[in-house]
Amino acid sequence: SYTTDSKSREENKNTLENLYSLSVDITKIRRLKEWVLLQDVAYVKEIAGILQEMGADETTVANIIERCPEAILHTPAEINSQKALWQLVCQNEKQLIKLIEQFPESFFTTAYQQNQKANILFFQELGLKNNIITRFLTSAPNIFYNPVEKNKNVIETLQRNYLNLGGSEANMKIWILKLLSQNPFILLNTSTAIKDNLEFLQKNDFTDQEVLHLLSKLKGFIFQLNSTTMQKSMVFSKNIFKCSDQELKQLVLKCPALLYYSVPVLEERLEGLLREGISIAQIRETPMVLELTTQIVQYRIKKLSALGYDIKSGNLESLNGTKKDFEVTYGKIQSKKERPIFNPVAPLHIED
C-alpha cells in the first residue's frame, strides 16, 4: 500500500538521520526493503519511543527496525492499538517486547485489527490458553486476518463432524482444542474441503471410529489435503506393498503418512530406504519409517551401524520416532553393547 514511485526517488533524509541516531544498520534496510527509505512520511522516533516505553533497549529497537523496516511507516495510533490487542494475551510488556523482537512482521501487520481482536476474543471463549493464542499470533498470524465468522464456521463444522463420527460431547472440547493447538492452519480451510476429505475416507471403507483415529493422528493435516492426492498416494502404496484394500487400510491406520504425503515424496523416501539395503517387506512391517526424511534415516542408520547394529537383518523400529525417541533407543543399544558378557559379581563355576 506504500508508493515506491514517489515524486522523488531519493531517500528521505529525515528518516535516515533518525535511523542513524538509533544506531540502525541502514545498509541492511537498503538490501531488504529500500522502498521504506523512499517514503515521504515515516515515524521513526515515535515507533522507537513506543518500543522503549515497553522496555526495549537501543539494541532491541535497532534489531526490530532492521528486521521489519516497514514498522516505521505505521502511525503511533496504529501501533498503540496493536499493542493493546496483543496485551489481551500477553502476561506483561516484557513478554510482549520479546515477542515483537522475535516476530516483528507478525506484530507490525496492522491492517486487520478488527478481525484480530474478534478472533482473539473468540479463541479465549473457546477455551484456548493465552500462551497458545500468542503462539498463533506469532507463527500463524494469517488465521487472525479471517473474519471471525469464517473461523467460527470451520470450528462448528469440525464439532459437528466429530459428533457425527461417534465422538462424545464430553470429549469434543478437548479434541478441538488439541487439534487447534497442533495445527492452527486448519482454520484456513473451507468447511467444504473438510466435508469432502471426510467423505473420501468413508467411501474408502474407513469406519467412523477409524476416521476419528486418523483425524487425531494426522493432527488436522488431513484438512489440508484433497481427495485426488489422497487417492494417488493410496494407489501408489497399494502397488508398492502389493496388498489388498483391507491390508492397505491397516497400513494407513498404522502410518497416516501414506495418506498425507504425495507420491513424489513417498517415492523419494522409499528409494532412500531401498538404497540402504532395506527391503519392501521390512518397510511394510514398519511403515512409520516413511514419516522420516531420507537424510534423517541415513543419519540414524549410520549411528546404529557404528554400534555394529545391522538394520538390514532386524526390524526398523529402532529407526522410528522423534529425535528424543531415537536417542533413547540408541542409548539402550549402546549400553547393551557395552555390557560385560559375564556378571563380574556372580560366582564362577569352574570344573575340576
Side-chain angles (χ1 to χ4, degrees), residues 178-206:
K178 190 177 177 185
L179 198 62
L180 268 178
S181 303
Q182 290 171 328
N183 183 13
F185 296 105
I186 56 173
L187 293 170
L188 299 178
N189 296 289
T190 63
S191 304
T192 315
I194 292 169
K195 187 169 166 282
D196 289 349
N197 287 342
L198 294 179
E199 281 177 3
F200 169 81
L201 292 174
Q202 288 167 320
K203 280 176 191 166
N204 278 274
D205 296 327
F206 286 93

Side-chain angles (χ1 to χ4, degrees), residues 213-257:
H213 167 80
L214 279 173
L215 296 191
S216 302
K217 285 270 278 189
L218 280 166
K219 301 179 180 176
F221 290 119
I222 190 168
F223 302 123
Q224 288 162 245
L225 301 175
N226 62 65
S227 53
T228 310
T229 55
M230 286 193 280
Q231 183 66 44
K232 284 178 181 172
S233 295
M234 284 178 74
V235 169
F236 172 78
S237 299
K238 189 178 177 183
N239 291 336
I240 286 292
F241 296 120
K242 296 181 172 51
C243 56
S244 67
D245 289 343
Q246 188 56 34
E247 287 168 333
L248 175 65
K249 202 176 82 161
Q250 292 311 312
L251 283 173
V252 168
L253 288 169
K254 214 172 175 183
C255 175

